[in-house]
Amino acid sequence: MSKKYKIAILPGDGIGPEVMRQAYKIINVLKKKFFLNIQYKNYLVGYSAIKKYKTVMPKETLYGCEKSNAILFGSVGDPRYNFFNKNISLEKESLLFIRKKFNLFCNIRPAKLYSKLNYLSPLKNSISINGIDILCIRELIGGIYFGNSKFIYDKNKIKKKAFDTEIYSKKEIYRISRIAFKIANKRKKKLTSIDKSNVLKSSILWREVVNEVSKEFPNVKLNHLYVDNAVMQIIKNPSIFDVILCSNIFGDIISDECAAIIGSIGLLPSASINEKKFGLYEPSGGSAPDIKNLNIANPIAQILSLSMMLKYTMKLDNISKKIDNTVKEVLELGYITKDLSNDVNKEYVSTDEMGDIIAQTLIKNI
Ligand code: IPM
Ligand code: MN
C-alpha cells in the first residue's frame, strides 16, 4: 500500500465550499486513478462554524488539523460576522490563528501567465507578450500582522487612536530569506527583495539581513526595490521578475497585484508551509460573499492549491505537474469562468463544469 496522507479540509465561508467541491473531484481522481492513499475529513471554520460551535475556530477543527499531514483551506470571511463582534476580525481568529499555530512562516504564491493565454491579462499585449512567471515568497507569521496593536479610547469609551506595529527579528528574516534564495537558485537565479528602507527601520534590518544571506548564494542575482517602485515595475514590466521576497504586509499586497496581472485572483494558489513542510494550502483570494452560491466562482486557485500540497507536503512533484498542465490545457482549450472574461458575448463555464472538465482531462492525461 502506498504512503497514507491525511488531509484536513476546511471549506470555510463564501465561495469556499463550492470551489472546494471541485477540489474533491480532483482528490477522487488522485485516489481512484493515481492510487494515492488520501484520507480526508471536513471541518468547519469561519462564519460557518459559528452556528454549531459558537466560535470561528472550533477545537475540533484545530484537533483535526493537528492529526493531518496538511490542510486544504477554502476561505473565510462573511459580512454578517460584524453583528457578532465588532472588534475581533474573523480572519484573525481563524486563518491567521492557524498560520501562527502551525508556524507557517513561508507563503508561496506562483503567478504564471501561460503564453497562449495572455489575452486573460488586463495588461497591454505589448507587455503581456513577454510572459509573466513570478513566484512571490511572503513572510507569513510576523510583521505588522502580528505586532503589538491596540485601540486607544477616550473617556467616553469612543475610539480615539489605533496602532499596529511592524516588527521583525533577524531570525525571522533569515529564515524566510534562505528559502527564497534556495527557491531562486532552482529557477532563474534572480531574486528581488521588497522593502521600504528609505523610511522604515524594520525595512533597513530586512535589507541588511537579505544582503547577508545573499553571500551564501553567490549564484543568485539579488536586487532590492522599494515597495512603491516595485508595484509600478510589476505593472510596467512584469517579465523582468522571477522570485520576489516580501514581508507579510508587502507580500499580501504584491501577491494580489500579481494575481490581477495574470487575469484573476481566482487563478492564484497559495502554499503556507513550516520547517517540516506541514502546510496550509488555500486560494489567495477571499471568500467573495457577493458571488457565493451563484456557481460562477473560479475553482482553479483551489485546485492549484491542492496541486501545491502534492508538491510541497507530499513531494509528489510529477503528479502536481500533471494537475498544473491539465489546468493549463483546459484554459488553452478556451474553457473559462466568468471572472476571466469581461466580454459579454464570451461563453463561460460554471464552477461545477470547470471542476468536471479539469477532472476528466486529468483522467485522460494519466
Ligand atoms: C491573504 C488574505 C489574508 C491575508 C486575509 C484573509 C487575512 O488576504 O491570504 O492574502 O491578509 O493574509
Ligand atoms: Mn491577501
Side-chain angles (χ1 to χ4, degrees):
M1 197 68 181
S2 62
K3 190 172 171 353
K4 187 161 112 190
Y5 300 102
K6 274 188 168 175
I7 311 177
I9 297 195
L10 282 55
D13 304 324
I15 58 168
E18 59 202 281
V19 292
M20 192 64 85
R21 276 197 288 280
Q22 315 317 313
Y24 293 133
K25 292 176 185 169
I26 306 301
I27 295 176
N28 287 331
V29 174
L30 297 176
K31 286 172 66 136
K32 293 205 184 99
K33 306 284 175 182
F34 288 83
F35 307 108
L36 292 190
N37 189 357
I38 297 179
Q39 280 180 8
Y40 59 84
K41 207 169 161 197
N42 262 52
Y43 298 93
L44 291 168
V45 70
Y47 188 79
S48 347
I50 290 177
K51 212 168 159 192
K52 182 162 176 199
Y53 296 105
K54 310 260 179 298
T55 165
V56 298
M57 189 59 225
K59 278 198 201 74
E60 289 75 359
T61 302
L62 182 60
Y63 184 54
C65 294
E66 279 167 347
K67 283 189 311 192
S68 304
N69 301 99
I71 305 166
L72 189 62
F73 198 93
S75 51
V76 285
D78 191 298
R80 288 170 293 176
Y81 182 72
N82 285 339
F83 293 113
F84 284 85
N85 190 334
K86 286 195 167 63
N87 284 338
I88 304 171
S89 113
L90 184 160
E91 290 83 351
K92 234 176 163 155
E93 299 286 290
S94 53
L95 180 59
L96 299 198
F97 172 82
I98 298 176
R99 288 178 181 170
K100 191 77 172 177
K101 173 88 193 162
F102 291 96
N103 216 16
L104 309 175
F105 69 93
C106 175
N107 180 239
I108 306 175
R109 295 185 169 176
K112 202 166 177 169
L113 183 68
Y114 302 112
S115 52
K116 284 188 206 148
L117 295 168
N118 51 327
Y119 75 93
L120 294 179
S121 172
L123 299 179
K124 274 191 220 153
N125 197 40
S126 59
I127 297 176
S128 62
I129 198 86
N130 298 318
I132 303 172
D133 186 0
I134 301 176
L135 193 74
C136 189
I137 301 195
R138 166 184 176 196
E139 198 293 323
L140 202 61
I141 55 169
I144 201 163
Y145 272 59
F146 293 94
N148 192 15
S149 69
K150 231 185 191 125
F151 287 122
I152 296 163
Y153 298 86
D154 67 13
K155 57 180 185 308
N156 300 318
K157 300 203 166 113
I158 307 280
K159 283 191 199 93
K160 191 171 68 171
K161 287 185 187 174
F163 69 84
D164 298 274
T165 315
E166 172 76 345
I167 179 162
Y168 269 111
S169 68
K170 278 176 100 168
K171 201 174 137 206
E172 287 172 306
I173 308 169
Y174 270 121
R175 130 179 120 167
I176 191 70
S177 305
R178 281 222 174 82
I179 297 211
F181 274 101
K182 274 187 194 155
I183 292 180
N185 208 12
K186 287 195 199 133
R187 289 174 48 115
K188 294 185 193 142
K189 303 188 189 303
K190 206 167 146 193
L191 178 67
T192 305
S193 174
I194 311 293
D195 64 43
K196 186 68 187 172
S197 56
N198 50 349
V199 179
L200 306 175
K201 292 218 165 51
S202 51
S203 274
I204 295 175
L205 184 70
W206 181 277
R207 195 178 278 219
E208 283 173 6
V209 174
V210 173
N211 277 335
E212 222 173 299
V213 176
S214 83
K215 291 181 196 144
E216 295 168 31
F217 298 87
N219 295 332
V220 176
K221 198 169 160 2
L222 167 71
N223 72 314
H224 301 274
L225 285 182
Y226 296 141
V227 64
D228 48 352
N229 185 19
V231 291
M232 273 201 302
Q233 301 308 325
I234 291 171
I235 292 275
K236 285 165 73 176
N237 201 358
S239 69
I240 61 167
F241 292 92
D242 189 46
V243 181
I244 298 186
L245 167 64
C246 310
S247 64
N248 204 346
I249 185 81
F250 293 160
D252 179 44
I253 297 162
I254 287 196
S255 62
D256 269 20
E257 185 186 22
C258 292
I261 61 172
I262 61 161
S264 164
I265 192 128
L267 290 173
L268 204 79
S270 164
S272 307
I273 52 180
N274 66 19
E275 308 271 7
K276 295 190 178 123
K277 304 288 184 282
F278 175 90
L280 177 145
Y281 298 86
E282 56 170 334
S284 300
S287 57
D290 51 323
I291 59 161
K292 173 186 165 176
N293 290 335
L294 296 181
N295 202 16
I296 58 172
N298 189 342
I300 289 181
Q302 189 74 66
I303 290 171
L304 292 177
S305 298
L306 171 66
S307 167
M308 290 189 90
M309 176 188 292
L310 294 177
K311 181 180 164 92
Y312 291 102
T313 293
M314 302 178 182
K315 303 270 174 274
L316 297 168
D317 242 63
N318 286 343
I319 304 179
S320 164
K321 277 205 186 94
K322 272 219 160 95
I323 298 175
D324 296 354
N325 288 337
T326 300
V327 167
K328 177 176 176 229
E329 181 183 338
V330 166
L331 286 170
E332 283 180 354
L333 285 169
Y335 295 108
I336 55 168
T337 42
K338 197 177 177 196
D339 56 315
L340 294 174
S341 167
N342 40 25
D343 175 354
V344 282
N345 297 317
K346 185 115 188 159
E347 291 219 353
Y348 53 84
V349 296
S350 67
T351 308
D352 262 320
E353 284 165 337
M354 186 56 112
D356 289 336
I357 294 165
I358 296 174
Q360 280 152 20
T361 313
L362 181 61
I363 294 173
K364 186 198 81 183
N365 286 344
I366 290 172

